[in-house]
Coordinates of all heavy atoms in Angstrom, one line a residue:
M1 N -7.4 8.7 -10.7 CA -6.6 7.5 -10.4 C -5.6 7.2 -11.5 O -5.9 7.5 -12.6 CB -7.6 6.3 -10.1 CG -7.7 5.3 -11.2 SD -8.8 3.9 -10.7 CE -7.8 2.5 -10.9
F2 N -4.5 6.6 -11.1 CA -3.6 6.1 -12.1 C -3.0 4.8 -11.5 O -2.4 4.9 -10.4 CB -2.5 7.1 -12.4 CG -1.5 6.5 -13.4 CD1 -1.9 6.4 -14.8 CD2 -0.3 6.0 -13.1 CE1 -1.0 5.9 -15.7 CE2 0.6 5.5 -14.0 CZ 0.2 5.4 -15.3
C3 N -3.2 3.7 -12.2 CA -2.6 2.5 -11.7 C -2.0 1.7 -13.0 O -2.7 1.6 -14.0 CB -3.6 1.6 -11.1 SG -3.0 0.1 -10.4
F4 N -0.8 1.3 -12.9 CA -0.2 0.5 -13.9 C 0.5 -0.7 -13.2 O 1.6 -1.1 -13.6 CB 0.7 1.3 -14.8 CG 1.9 1.9 -14.2 CD1 3.1 1.9 -14.9 CD2 1.9 2.4 -12.9 CE1 4.3 2.5 -14.3 CE2 3.0 3.0 -12.4 CZ 4.2 3.1 -13.1
Q5 N -0.2 -1.2 -12.2 CA 0.4 -2.3 -11.4 C 0.5 -3.6 -12.1 O 1.3 -4.4 -11.6 CB -0.4 -2.4 -10.1 CG 0.1 -3.3 -9.0 CD -0.9 -3.4 -7.9 OE1 -1.9 -4.0 -8.0 NE2 -0.5 -2.7 -6.8
C6 N -0.3 -3.9 -13.0 CA -0.4 -5.3 -13.5 C -0.5 -5.3 -15.1 O -0.6 -4.3 -15.7 CB -1.5 -6.0 -12.9 SG -3.1 -5.7 -13.6
E7 N -0.4 -6.5 -15.6 CA -0.4 -6.7 -17.0 C -1.8 -6.5 -17.7 O -1.9 -6.4 -18.9 CB 0.0 -8.2 -17.3 CG -1.0 -9.3 -17.0 CD -1.1 -9.6 -15.5 OE1 -0.4 -9.0 -14.7 OE2 -2.0 -10.4 -15.2
Q8 N -2.8 -6.3 -16.8 CA -4.2 -6.0 -17.4 C -4.4 -4.5 -17.7 O -5.4 -4.1 -18.2 CB -5.2 -6.4 -16.4 CG -5.3 -7.9 -16.1 CD -6.4 -8.2 -15.0 OE1 -7.5 -7.7 -15.1 NE2 -6.0 -9.0 -14.0
T9 N -3.4 -3.7 -17.3 CA -3.6 -2.3 -17.3 C -4.1 -1.8 -18.7 O -3.7 -2.3 -19.8 CB -2.3 -1.6 -16.9 OG1 -2.5 -0.2 -16.7 CG2 -1.2 -1.7 -18.0
A10 N -5.0 -0.8 -18.7 CA -5.6 -0.3 -19.9 C -4.6 0.2 -20.9 O -3.7 0.9 -20.6 CB -6.6 0.8 -19.5
K11 N -4.8 -0.3 -22.1 CA -3.9 0.0 -23.3 C -2.4 -0.2 -23.0 O -1.6 0.4 -23.7 CB -4.2 1.5 -23.7 CG -5.6 1.8 -24.0 CD -5.8 3.3 -24.3 CE -7.2 3.7 -24.6 NZ -7.5 5.1 -24.7
G12 N -2.1 -1.0 -22.0 CA -0.7 -1.2 -21.7 C -0.1 0.1 -21.1 O 1.1 0.1 -21.0
E13 N -0.9 1.0 -20.7 CA -0.3 2.3 -20.3 C -0.7 2.7 -18.8 O 0.0 3.4 -18.2 CB -0.8 3.5 -21.2 CG -0.3 3.3 -22.6 CD -0.9 4.4 -23.5 OE1 -1.7 5.2 -23.1 OE2 -0.5 4.4 -24.7
G14 N -1.9 2.2 -18.4 CA -2.4 2.5 -17.1 C -3.9 2.7 -17.0 O -4.5 3.3 -18.0
C15 N -4.5 2.3 -15.9 CA -5.9 2.5 -15.7 C -6.1 3.9 -15.1 O -5.4 4.2 -14.1 CB -6.5 1.4 -14.8 SG -6.3 -0.2 -15.5
T16 N -7.0 4.7 -15.7 CA -7.1 6.1 -15.2 C -8.5 6.4 -14.7 O -8.6 7.4 -13.9 CB -6.7 7.1 -16.3 OG1 -7.5 6.9 -17.4 CG2 -5.2 7.0 -16.6
K17 N -9.5 5.7 -15.1 CA -10.8 6.0 -14.6 C -11.4 5.0 -13.7 O -11.9 5.3 -12.6 CB -11.8 6.2 -15.8 CG -11.4 7.4 -16.6 CD -12.4 7.6 -17.8 CE -11.9 8.8 -18.6 NZ -12.5 8.9 -19.9
I18 N -11.2 3.8 -14.0 CA -11.6 2.6 -13.2 C -10.7 1.5 -13.7 O -10.3 1.4 -14.8 CB -13.1 2.2 -13.3 CG1 -13.4 1.1 -12.4 CG2 -13.4 1.8 -14.8 CD1 -14.9 0.8 -12.3
G19 N -10.3 0.6 -12.8 CA -9.4 -0.5 -13.2 C -10.1 -1.5 -14.1 O -11.2 -1.8 -13.9
V20 N -9.3 -2.0 -15.0 CA -9.8 -3.1 -15.9 C -10.2 -4.3 -14.9 O -11.1 -5.0 -15.2 CB -8.7 -3.5 -16.9 CG1 -9.1 -4.8 -17.6 CG2 -8.4 -2.4 -17.9
C21 N -9.5 -4.4 -13.8 CA -9.7 -5.4 -12.9 C -10.9 -5.2 -12.0 O -11.3 -6.0 -11.2 CB -8.5 -5.6 -12.0 SG -8.1 -4.1 -11.0
G22 N -11.5 -4.0 -12.1 CA -12.6 -3.6 -11.2 C -12.2 -2.7 -10.1 O -13.1 -2.2 -9.3
K23 N -10.9 -2.4 -9.9 CA -10.5 -1.5 -8.8 C -11.1 -0.1 -9.0 O -11.1 0.5 -10.1 CB -9.0 -1.4 -8.8 CG -8.4 -0.6 -7.7 CD -7.0 -0.3 -7.8 CE -6.1 -1.6 -7.7 NZ -4.7 -1.3 -7.8
Q24 N -11.7 0.4 -7.9 CA -12.3 1.7 -8.0 C -11.3 2.8 -7.6 O -10.3 2.5 -6.9 CB -13.5 1.8 -7.0 CG -14.6 0.8 -7.3 CD -15.3 1.1 -8.6 OE1 -15.7 2.2 -8.9 NE2 -15.4 0.0 -9.4
P25 N -11.5 4.0 -8.1 CA -10.6 5.1 -7.8 C -10.3 5.3 -6.3 O -9.2 5.6 -5.9 CB -11.3 6.3 -8.4 CG -12.1 5.8 -9.5 CD -12.6 4.5 -9.0
E26 N -11.4 5.1 -5.5 CA -11.2 5.3 -4.0 C -10.2 4.3 -3.5 O -9.3 4.6 -2.7 CB -12.6 5.1 -3.3 CG -12.5 5.1 -1.8 CD -13.7 4.6 -1.1 OE1 -14.5 3.8 -1.7 OE2 -13.9 5.0 0.0
V27 N -10.3 3.0 -3.9 CA -9.4 2.0 -3.5 C -8.0 2.3 -4.0 O -7.0 2.1 -3.3 CB -9.9 0.6 -3.9 CG1 -8.8 -0.4 -3.7 CG2 -11.1 0.3 -3.2
A28 N -7.8 2.7 -5.2 CA -6.5 3.1 -5.8 C -5.9 4.2 -4.9 O -4.7 4.1 -4.6 CB -6.7 3.5 -7.2
A29 N -6.7 5.2 -4.6 CA -6.1 6.3 -3.7 C -5.7 5.8 -2.4 O -4.6 6.2 -1.8 CB -7.2 7.4 -3.6
L30 N -6.5 4.9 -1.8 CA -6.2 4.3 -0.5 C -4.9 3.5 -0.6 O -4.0 3.5 0.3 CB -7.3 3.5 0.1 CG -8.5 4.3 0.6 CD1 -9.7 3.4 0.8 CD2 -8.2 5.1 1.8
Q31 N -4.8 2.7 -1.6 CA -3.6 1.9 -1.8 C -2.3 2.8 -1.9 O -1.3 2.6 -1.4 CB -3.7 1.0 -3.0 CG -4.6 -0.2 -2.8 CD -4.7 -1.1 -4.0 OE1 -4.4 -0.7 -5.1 NE2 -5.1 -2.3 -3.7
D32 N -2.5 3.9 -2.7 CA -1.4 4.8 -2.9 C -1.0 5.4 -1.5 O 0.2 5.6 -1.2 CB -1.8 6.0 -3.8 CG -1.8 5.5 -5.3 OD1 -1.3 4.4 -5.6 OD2 -2.4 6.3 -6.1
L33 N -2.0 5.8 -0.7 CA -1.7 6.4 0.6 C -1.0 5.4 1.5 O -0.1 5.7 2.2 CB -3.0 6.9 1.2 CG -2.9 7.6 2.6 CD1 -1.9 8.7 2.6 CD2 -4.2 8.1 3.1
L34 N -1.5 4.1 1.5 CA -0.8 3.1 2.3 C 0.6 2.9 1.9 O 1.5 2.8 2.7 CB -1.6 1.8 2.2 CG -1.0 0.6 2.9 CD1 -1.0 0.9 4.4 CD2 -1.9 -0.7 2.7
I35 N 0.9 2.9 0.6 CA 2.3 2.7 0.1 C 3.1 3.9 0.6 O 4.3 3.8 1.0 CB 2.3 2.6 -1.4 CG1 1.7 1.2 -1.8 CG2 3.8 2.7 -1.9 CD1 2.4 0.0 -1.3
Y36 N 2.5 5.1 0.5 CA 3.3 6.3 0.9 C 3.6 6.2 2.4 O 4.8 6.5 2.8 CB 2.4 7.5 0.7 CG 3.0 8.8 1.0 CD1 3.9 9.5 0.2 CD2 2.7 9.5 2.2 CE1 4.5 10.7 0.5 CE2 3.3 10.7 2.6 CZ 4.2 11.3 1.7 OH 4.8 12.5 2.0
A37 N 2.7 5.7 3.2 CA 2.9 5.6 4.7 C 4.0 4.5 4.9 O 4.9 4.7 5.8 CB 1.6 5.2 5.4
V38 N 3.9 3.4 4.2 CA 4.9 2.4 4.4 C 6.3 2.8 4.0 O 7.3 2.5 4.6 CB 4.5 1.1 3.7 CG1 5.6 0.0 3.6 CG2 3.2 0.5 4.3
K39 N 6.4 3.6 2.9 CA 7.7 4.2 2.5 C 8.3 5.0 3.7 O 9.5 4.9 3.9 CB 7.5 5.0 1.3 CG 7.3 4.2 0.0 CD 6.9 5.0 -1.2 CE 8.1 5.7 -1.8 NZ 7.7 6.4 -3.0
G40 N 7.4 5.8 4.4 CA 7.9 6.5 5.5 C 8.4 5.6 6.6 O 9.5 5.9 7.2
I41 N 7.6 4.6 6.9 CA 8.0 3.7 8.0 C 9.4 3.0 7.6 O 10.2 2.8 8.4 CB 6.9 2.6 8.2 CG1 5.7 3.3 8.8 CG2 7.4 1.4 9.0 CD1 4.5 2.4 8.8
A42 N 9.5 2.7 6.3 CA 10.7 2.0 5.8 C 11.9 2.9 6.0 O 13.0 2.4 6.4 CB 10.5 1.6 4.4
Q43 N 11.8 4.2 5.8 CA 12.9 5.1 6.0 C 13.4 5.1 7.4 O 14.6 5.0 7.7 CB 12.5 6.5 5.6 CG 12.4 6.7 4.1 CD 12.1 8.1 3.7 OE1 11.3 8.8 4.4 NE2 12.7 8.6 2.6
V44 N 12.4 5.1 8.3 CA 12.8 5.0 9.8 C 13.4 3.7 10.1 O 14.4 3.6 10.9 CB 11.6 5.4 10.6 CG1 11.9 5.2 12.1 CG2 11.0 6.8 10.4
A45 N 12.8 2.6 9.6 CA 13.3 1.3 9.9 C 14.7 1.1 9.4 O 15.6 0.5 10.1 CB 12.4 0.2 9.3
L46 N 15.0 1.6 8.2 CA 16.4 1.5 7.7 C 17.4 2.3 8.5 O 18.5 1.8 8.8 CB 16.4 2.0 6.2 CG 15.8 1.0 5.2 CD1 15.8 1.7 3.8 CD2 16.7 -0.2 5.1
E47 N 16.9 3.5 9.0 CA 17.8 4.3 9.8 C 18.0 3.5 11.2 O 19.1 3.5 11.7 CB 17.2 5.6 10.1 CG 18.1 6.7 10.7 CD 19.3 7.0 9.7 OE1 19.1 6.9 8.5 OE2 20.4 7.3 10.3
G48 N 17.0 2.9 11.7 CA 17.1 2.2 12.9 C 18.1 1.0 12.8 O 18.8 0.7 13.7
A49 N 18.0 0.4 11.6 CA 18.9 -0.8 11.4 C 20.4 -0.4 11.5 O 21.2 -1.2 11.8 CB 18.6 -1.4 10.1
T50 N 20.7 0.9 11.1 CA 22.1 1.3 11.2 C 22.6 1.4 12.6 O 23.8 1.3 12.8 CB 22.2 2.7 10.5 OG1 21.6 3.7 11.3 CG2 21.8 2.7 9.1
V51 N 21.7 1.4 13.6 CA 22.1 1.4 15.0 C 21.5 0.2 15.7 O 21.3 0.2 16.9 CB 21.7 2.7 15.7 CG1 22.5 3.9 15.2 CG2 20.2 3.0 15.6
K52 N 21.3 -0.9 14.9 CA 20.8 -2.2 15.4 C 19.5 -2.1 16.1 O 19.3 -2.9 17.0 CB 21.9 -2.8 16.3 CG 23.2 -3.0 15.5 CD 24.2 -3.9 16.3 CE 25.5 -4.1 15.6 NZ 25.5 -4.2 14.2
V53 N 18.6 -1.2 15.7 CA 17.2 -1.2 16.2 C 16.4 -1.9 15.2 O 16.4 -1.5 14.0 CB 16.7 0.2 16.4 CG1 15.2 0.2 16.8 CG2 17.5 0.9 17.6
N54 N 15.7 -3.0 15.6 CA 14.9 -3.8 14.7 C 13.6 -4.1 15.4 O 13.6 -4.6 16.5 CB 15.6 -5.0 14.3 CG 14.8 -5.9 13.3 OD1 14.1 -5.4 12.5 ND2 15.0 -7.2 13.4
D55 N 12.4 -3.9 14.8 CA 11.1 -4.2 15.4 C 10.4 -5.2 14.5 O 9.9 -4.9 13.4 CB 10.3 -3.0 15.5 CG 9.0 -3.2 16.3 OD1 8.5 -4.4 16.3 OD2 8.5 -2.2 16.8
P56 N 10.4 -6.5 14.9 CA 9.8 -7.5 14.1 C 8.3 -7.2 13.7 O 7.9 -7.6 12.6 CB 9.9 -8.8 14.9 CG 11.1 -8.5 15.8 CD 11.0 -7.1 16.1
A57 N 7.6 -6.6 14.6 CA 6.2 -6.3 14.4 C 6.1 -5.3 13.2 O 5.2 -5.4 12.4 CB 5.6 -5.7 15.6
V58 N 7.0 -4.3 13.2 CA 7.0 -3.4 12.1 C 7.4 -4.1 10.8 O 6.8 -3.8 9.7 CB 8.0 -2.2 12.4 CG1 8.2 -1.3 11.1 CG2 7.5 -1.4 13.5
N59 N 8.3 -5.0 10.8 CA 8.7 -5.7 9.6 C 7.5 -6.5 9.1 O 7.3 -6.6 7.9 CB 9.9 -6.6 9.9 CG 11.1 -5.9 10.3 OD1 11.2 -4.7 10.1 ND2 12.0 -6.5 11.0
A60 N 6.8 -7.2 10.0 CA 5.7 -8.0 9.6 C 4.5 -7.1 9.0 O 3.9 -7.5 8.0 CB 5.2 -8.8 10.8
F61 N 4.3 -6.0 9.7 CA 3.3 -5.1 9.2 C 3.6 -4.6 7.8 O 2.8 -4.5 6.9 CB 3.1 -3.9 10.1 CG 2.2 -2.9 9.5 CD1 0.8 -3.0 9.5 CD2 2.7 -1.7 8.8 CE1 -0.1 -2.1 8.9 CE2 1.8 -0.8 8.2 CZ 0.5 -1.0 8.3
T62 N 4.9 -4.3 7.5 CA 5.3 -3.8 6.2 C 5.0 -4.9 5.2 O 4.5 -4.5 4.1 CB 6.8 -3.5 6.2 OG1 7.1 -2.5 7.2 CG2 7.3 -3.1 4.9
C63 N 5.3 -6.1 5.4 CA 5.0 -7.2 4.5 C 3.5 -7.3 4.2 O 3.0 -7.4 3.1 CB 5.5 -8.5 5.0 SG 7.3 -8.6 5.0
E64 N 2.7 -7.3 5.3 CA 1.3 -7.4 5.2 C 0.7 -6.2 4.4 O -0.1 -6.4 3.5 CB 0.6 -7.3 6.6 CG -0.9 -7.4 6.6 CD -1.5 -7.1 7.9 OE1 -0.8 -6.9 8.9 OE2 -2.8 -7.1 8.0
A65 N 1.2 -5.0 4.7 CA 0.7 -3.8 4.0 C 1.0 -3.9 2.5 O 0.1 -3.6 1.6 CB 1.2 -2.6 4.6
I66 N 2.2 -4.2 2.2 CA 2.6 -4.2 0.8 C 1.9 -5.3 0.0 O 1.3 -5.1 -1.1 CB 4.2 -4.5 0.6 CG1 4.9 -3.3 1.3 CG2 4.5 -4.7 -0.8 CD1 4.8 -2.0 0.6
F67 N 1.7 -6.5 0.7 CA 1.1 -7.6 0.0 C -0.4 -7.2 -0.2 O -1.0 -7.6 -1.2 CB 1.2 -8.9 0.8 CG 0.7 -10.1 0.1 CD1 1.4 -10.6 -0.9 CD2 -0.6 -10.6 0.4 CE1 0.9 -11.7 -1.6 CE2 -1.1 -11.7 -0.3 CZ -0.3 -12.3 -1.3
S68 N -1.0 -6.5 0.7 CA -2.4 -6.1 0.5 C -2.7 -5.3 -0.8 O -3.8 -5.4 -1.3 CB -2.9 -5.3 1.7 OG -2.5 -4.0 1.7
T69 N -1.7 -4.7 -1.3 CA -1.9 -3.9 -2.5 C -1.5 -4.7 -3.7 O -1.8 -4.2 -4.8 CB -1.0 -2.6 -2.5 OG1 0.4 -2.9 -2.6 CG2 -1.2 -1.8 -1.2
L70 N -0.9 -5.8 -3.6 CA -0.4 -6.6 -4.7 C -1.4 -7.6 -5.3 O -1.4 -7.9 -6.5 CB 0.8 -7.4 -4.4 CG 2.0 -6.6 -3.9 CD1 3.2 -7.5 -3.6 CD2 2.5 -5.6 -5.0
T71 N -2.3 -8.1 -4.5 CA -3.1 -9.2 -4.9 C -4.2 -8.9 -5.9 O -4.6 -9.8 -6.6 CB -3.7 -9.9 -3.7 OG1 -4.5 -9.0 -2.9 CG2 -2.6 -10.4 -2.8
N72 N -4.8 -7.7 -5.8 CA -5.9 -7.4 -6.7 C -7.1 -8.3 -6.6 O -7.8 -8.5 -7.5 CB -5.4 -7.4 -8.2 CG -4.5 -6.2 -8.5 OD1 -4.4 -5.3 -7.7 ND2 -3.8 -6.3 -9.6
V73 N -7.3 -8.8 -5.4 CA -8.5 -9.7 -5.2 C -9.3 -9.2 -4.1 O -10.5 -9.6 -4.0 CB -8.1 -11.1 -4.9 CG1 -7.4 -11.8 -6.1 CG2 -7.2 -11.3 -3.7
D74 N -8.8 -8.2 -3.3 CA -9.6 -7.7 -2.2 C -9.6 -6.2 -2.3 O -8.6 -5.6 -1.9 CB -9.0 -8.2 -0.8 CG -9.9 -7.8 0.3 OD1 -10.8 -6.9 0.1 OD2 -9.7 -8.3 1.4
F75 N -10.7 -5.7 -2.8 CA -10.8 -4.2 -2.9 C -11.7 -3.6 -1.9 O -12.3 -2.6 -2.1 CB -11.3 -3.9 -4.3 CG -10.4 -4.3 -5.4 CD1 -10.9 -4.7 -6.6 CD2 -9.0 -4.1 -5.3 CE1 -10.0 -5.1 -7.7 CE2 -8.2 -4.5 -6.3 CZ -8.7 -5.0 -7.5
D76 N -11.7 -4.2 -0.7 CA -12.5 -3.6 0.4 C -11.8 -2.3 1.0 O -10.7 -2.4 1.6 CB -12.6 -4.7 1.5 CG -13.3 -4.2 2.7 OD1 -14.0 -3.1 2.6 OD2 -13.3 -4.9 3.8
A77 N -12.4 -1.2 0.7 CA -11.8 0.1 1.1 C -11.6 0.1 2.6 O -10.6 0.7 3.1 CB -12.7 1.2 0.6
A78 N -12.5 -0.4 3.4 CA -12.4 -0.4 4.8 C -11.1 -1.1 5.3 O -10.5 -0.7 6.3 CB -13.6 -1.0 5.5
R79 N -10.7 -2.1 4.6 CA -9.5 -2.8 5.0 C -8.3 -1.9 4.8 O -7.4 -1.9 5.6 CB -9.4 -4.1 4.1 CG -8.1 -4.9 4.2 CD -8.3 -6.2 3.5 NE -7.1 -6.8 3.2 CZ -6.5 -6.9 2.0 NH1 -7.1 -6.4 1.0 NH2 -5.3 -7.5 1.8
F80 N -8.3 -1.1 3.8 CA -7.1 -0.2 3.5 C -7.1 0.9 4.5 O -6.1 1.3 5.0 CB -7.1 0.3 2.1 CG -6.8 -0.8 1.1 CD1 -7.8 -1.4 0.3 CD2 -5.5 -1.4 1.0 CE1 -7.6 -2.4 -0.6 CE2 -5.3 -2.4 0.2 CZ -6.3 -2.9 -0.6
V81 N -8.3 1.4 4.9 CA -8.4 2.4 5.9 C -7.8 1.9 7.2 O -7.0 2.6 7.9 CB -9.8 2.9 6.1 CG1 -9.9 3.8 7.4 CG2 -10.3 3.6 4.9
T82 N -8.1 0.7 7.6 CA -7.5 0.0 8.8 C -6.0 0.0 8.7 O -5.3 0.3 9.7 CB -8.1 -1.4 9.0 OG1 -9.5 -1.2 9.2 CG2 -7.5 -2.0 10.2
L83 N -5.5 -0.5 7.6 CA -4.1 -0.6 7.4 C -3.4 0.8 7.5 O -2.3 0.9 8.0 CB -3.7 -1.3 6.1 CG -4.0 -2.8 6.1 CD1 -4.0 -3.4 4.6 CD2 -3.0 -3.6 6.9
I84 N -4.0 1.8 6.9 CA -3.4 3.1 6.9 C -3.4 3.6 8.4 O -2.4 4.2 8.8 CB -4.2 4.1 6.0 CG1 -4.0 3.7 4.6 CG2 -3.9 5.6 6.3 CD1 -5.0 4.3 3.6
N85 N -4.5 3.4 9.1 CA -4.5 3.8 10.5 C -3.4 3.0 11.3 O -2.8 3.6 12.2 CB -5.9 3.5 11.1 CG -6.9 4.6 10.7 OD1 -6.5 5.7 10.4 ND2 -8.2 4.2 10.6
D86 N -3.3 1.7 11.0 CA -2.2 1.0 11.7 C -0.8 1.6 11.4 O 0.0 1.7 12.2 CB -2.3 -0.5 11.2 CG -3.5 -1.2 11.7 OD1 -4.2 -0.7 12.6 OD2 -3.7 -2.3 11.2
A87 N -0.6 1.9 10.1 CA 0.7 2.6 9.7 C 0.9 3.9 10.5 O 2.0 4.1 11.0 CB 0.7 2.8 8.2
S88 N -0.2 4.6 10.6 CA -0.1 5.9 11.4 C 0.3 5.6 12.8 O 1.1 6.3 13.4 CB -1.4 6.6 11.3 OG -1.4 7.8 12.0
S89 N -0.3 4.6 13.4 CA 0.0 4.2 14.8 C 1.5 3.8 15.0 O 2.1 4.2 15.9 CB -0.9 3.1 15.3 OG -2.2 3.5 15.3
I90 N 2.0 3.1 14.0 CA 3.4 2.7 14.0 C 4.3 3.9 13.9 O 5.3 4.0 14.6 CB 3.7 1.7 12.9 CG1 3.1 0.3 13.2 CG2 5.2 1.6 12.6 CD1 3.1 -0.6 12.0
A91 N 3.9 4.9 13.1 CA 4.7 6.0 12.9 C 4.8 7.0 14.1 O 5.7 7.7 14.2 CB 4.2 6.8 11.7
R92 N 3.8 6.9 15.0 CA 3.8 7.8 16.1 C 4.6 7.1 17.3 O 4.5 5.9 17.5 CB 2.3 7.9 16.6 CG 1.6 9.1 15.9 CD 0.3 9.3 16.5 NE -0.7 9.1 15.4 CZ -1.8 8.3 15.6 NH1 -2.1 7.8 16.7 NH2 -2.6 8.2 14.6
P93 N 5.3 8.0 18.0 CA 6.1 7.4 19.1 C 5.3 7.0 20.2 O 4.2 7.4 20.4 CB 7.1 8.6 19.5 CG 6.5 9.8 18.9 CD 5.6 9.4 17.8
Ligands
SF4_1 S1 -4.3 -3.5 -10.9 FE1 -6.3 -3.1 -11.8 S2 -6.3 -0.9 -11.9 FE2 -4.2 -1.4 -11.6 S3 -3.3 -1.7 -13.7 FE3 -4.1 -3.7 -13.1 S4 -6.1 -3.7 -14.0 FE4 -5.5 -1.6 -13.9

């Protein structure tokens, strides 16, 4: 795991074994995967915007997904699995 998301990060450099905040490596990996998926969705959304295609549900999901990784208060791995599956569903035609 490697996380340097917040000011609590170990030695000011990054948490590598377990988060100072309590984040487990499994959750860090799931958050990374979710961000990776959302980056892919964002690329498609931006391309769609160039031809005036806009999906408010995708926009709302993007905000929800990104925010879920920011708060550092809910480290429920199952929640991230659900969000990753939702991202996958959005990405499929
Ligand atoms: S969010 Fe947690 S794991 Fe990430 S840098 Fe901050 S304390 Fe470390």
Side-chain angles (χ1 to χ4, degrees):
M1 107 177 238
F2 179 76
C3 183
F4 65 142
Q5 186 184 74
C6 80
E7 74 284 354
Q8 297 177 47
T9 194
K11 300 177 186 172
E13 298 175 355
C15 298
T16 56
K17 294 183 180 163
I18 186 172
V20 172
C21 62
K23 186 187 297 184
Q24 299 297 311
E26 175 192 26
V27 169
L30 289 167
Q31 288 181 336
D32 287 347
L33 180 55
L34 179 59
I35 293 297
Y36 182 80
V38 170
K39 286 169 74 175
I41 291 169
Q43 286 182 322
V44 175
L46 284 172
E47 194 64 30
T50 65
V51 292
K52 302 196 183 314
V53 172
N54 181 32
D55 187 336
V58 171
N59 297 340
F61 173 79
T62 298
C63 292
E64 177 189 3
I66 297 295
F67 188 75
S68 76
T69 70
L70 297 180
T71 57
N72 290 343
V73 294
D74 186 347
F75 293 144
D76 179 10
R79 176 169 162 253
F80 292 106
V81 170
T82 298
L83 286 165
I84 291 164
N85 285 332
D86 290 348
S88 178
S89 295
I90 287 171
R92 275 186 242 133

